[in-house]
Amino acid sequence: MSDRPDPSRRLLVGGLTTGVAAALGAAGLGGRDATAATPAAPNPTTEYPKPPFQDQEQPWPGLASRMNPRPDHGETSYTGSGRLAGRRALLTGADSGIGRAAAIAFAREGADVAFNYLPQEEEDAREVVDLIRKAGRKAVPLPGDIRDKAFCRKLVADAARELGGLDILVNNAVYQKAAKSIDEISDEDFEQTFTTNVYAMFWITKAAMAHLQPGSAIVNTSSVNAYEPGESLIDYAATKAAIANFSKGLAKQLAPKGIRVNAVAPGPIWTPLQVSGGKLPHTLPHFGADTPMGRPGQPAELAGIYVLLASNEASYSTGQVFGAVGGRGGP
């Protein structure tokens, strides 16, 4: 572990110290209860949209800007505090969904952000670029198809060149297509699922190793399906189990180098993935209704987990899979 002071830790401790002092001061002025004026935290069961949703479909890969309701990526709610100041991050699949929420949060925490997306997702990607720049950080949009091994290598090289290096890698891009039966999974769909979700992660991570230094972090996106596979997502679920396993093994390999590797395993999250083939027809209106919270999660609700795992605050966490599933249990 480095003996150098950690700016994010100073901010955290400083904020706590200031908060305690303020509370004591307020209590001393007239004996008032300092917590009396503190607003209650929002109720997580009612804060976000709940089923039933409008039955809707989009051609793959789908756009967040055309969903009803639009997903919440933290555009108006996420507030940073310098936890990733000066860091340089590359994210895949960050035009919408979980990747977009993480990209917004990273920028507002002080990181410069390069992100990948498909050319068909340009409309959503332009919004992300604008949000990163409004946070005062550098945005590097890198469109392309990560099913191409050569492109994956170029993606990493371009991101490192434009950002002046890499400290954070988030493998998040995914392909998901629901099927009632294994007989309905074409060889082409099976190949696309594994190439997008597993092969690309391997190619990108391998290329990134030339740039990641001690203190760097890799965060991969797994799924609740890794350990509780849905019967209509058997190929997708298999890739998510592979991602969790890959993350745990790589974490052991890279720990001596000071590079941490973790994964996040979300439950049902409201993203374009669901409206562009990720759910069976006419099941979308009840998406997330079977969770104890009675609703799907919003991408914004996962942003803080990605920030934590990318920051020095999680310096002793590696090889872990962090669940966010609305109460259905965890990995």
Side-chain angles (χ1 to χ4, degrees):
M1 181 180 295
S2 173
D3 291 328
R4 291 178 299 174
D6 180 354
S8 63
R9 197 175 301 277
R10 286 202 307 269
L11 283 168
L12 177 63
V13 175
L16 288 172
T17 304
T18 303
V20 171
L24 290 173
L29 294 174
R32 292 178 296 170
D33 182 357
T35 63
T38 303
N43 183 338
T45 64
T46 58
E47 180 71 5
Y48 296 100
K50 302 181 72 169
F53 298 109
Q54 174 186 323
D55 198 6
Q56 55 198 287
E57 292 183 25
Q58 292 187 35
W60 180 83
L63 293 170
S65 55
R66 301 182 187 181
M67 290 178 66
N68 182 22
R70 280 189 59 142
D72 182 355
H73 307 93
E75 289 92 341
T76 61
S77 61
Y78 192 94
T79 302
S81 57
R83 296 160 73 191
L84 300 176
R87 305 294 289 276
R88 300 155 298 181
L90 168 62
L91 303 90
T92 64
D95 58 285
S96 63
I98 297 169
R100 176 172 176 155
I104 293 169
F106 283 10
R108 292 180 182 172
E109 294 289 356
D112 291 330
V113 178
F115 70 100
N116 164 254
Y117 57 96
L118 289 166
Q120 304 97 298
E121 298 166 318
E122 185 66 37
E123 181 180 329
D124 281 351
R126 285 198 299 268
E127 295 180 355
V128 178
V129 169
D130 186 53
L131 287 162
I132 293 171
R133 290 175 178 168
K134 283 182 177 177
R137 308 311 306 173
K138 184 173 185 177
V140 182
L142 297 168
D145 193 337
I146 59 173
R147 289 178 293 173
D148 182 331
K149 177 167 59 176
F151 172 75
C152 287
R153 292 170 177 164
K154 183 177 184 298
L155 170 66
V156 173
D158 289 348
R161 184 188 67 251
E162 292 296 321
L163 297 178
L166 282 180
D167 305 296
I168 302 165
L169 171 63
V170 177
N171 289 300
N172 173 74
V174 66
Y175 179 72
Q176 174 184 319
K177 186 175 181 181
K180 286 184 178 180
S181 166
I182 190 171
D183 298 326
E184 297 179 4
I185 303 174
S186 69
D187 290 349
E188 292 75 19
D189 283 334
F190 188 85
E191 182 178 5
Q192 181 168 356
T193 302
F194 270 82
T195 305
T196 304
N197 301 2
V198 179
Y199 279 59
M201 174 186 65
F202 170 74
W203 293 329
I204 291 169
T205 303
K206 187 176 180 179
M209 292 312 303
H211 305 281
L212 300 178
Q213 301 295 320
S216 296
I218 299 171
V219 186
N220 300 319
T221 302
S222 182
S223 168
V224 62
N225 283 278
Y227 55 90
E228 190 182 330
E231 62 271 24
S232 63
L233 296 171
I234 61 172
D235 53 342
Y236 170 84
T239 66
K240 291 301 181 175
I243 291 168
N245 195 280
F246 176 87
S247 302
K248 291 180 179 182
L250 187 63
K252 294 176 182 177
Q253 185 183 116
L254 298 184
K257 298 182 179 181
I259 300 172
R260 295 180 299 105
V261 185
N262 291 289
V264 180
I269 305 297
W270 186 248
T271 74
L273 200 66
Q274 313 307 332
V275 301
S276 58
K279 295 288 294 178
L280 292 173
H282 311 303
T283 62
L284 191 69
H286 302 290
F287 181 59
D290 60 345
T291 67
M293 283 194 179
R295 64 169 179 87
Q298 292 291 324
E301 295 181 272
L302 276 73
I305 299 177
Y306 284 81
V307 169
L308 171 66
L309 296 178
S311 76
N312 292 336
E313 293 171 25
S315 58
Y316 199 56
S317 294
T318 194
Q320 305 300 305
V321 180
F322 290 74
V325 295
R328 287 167 65 179

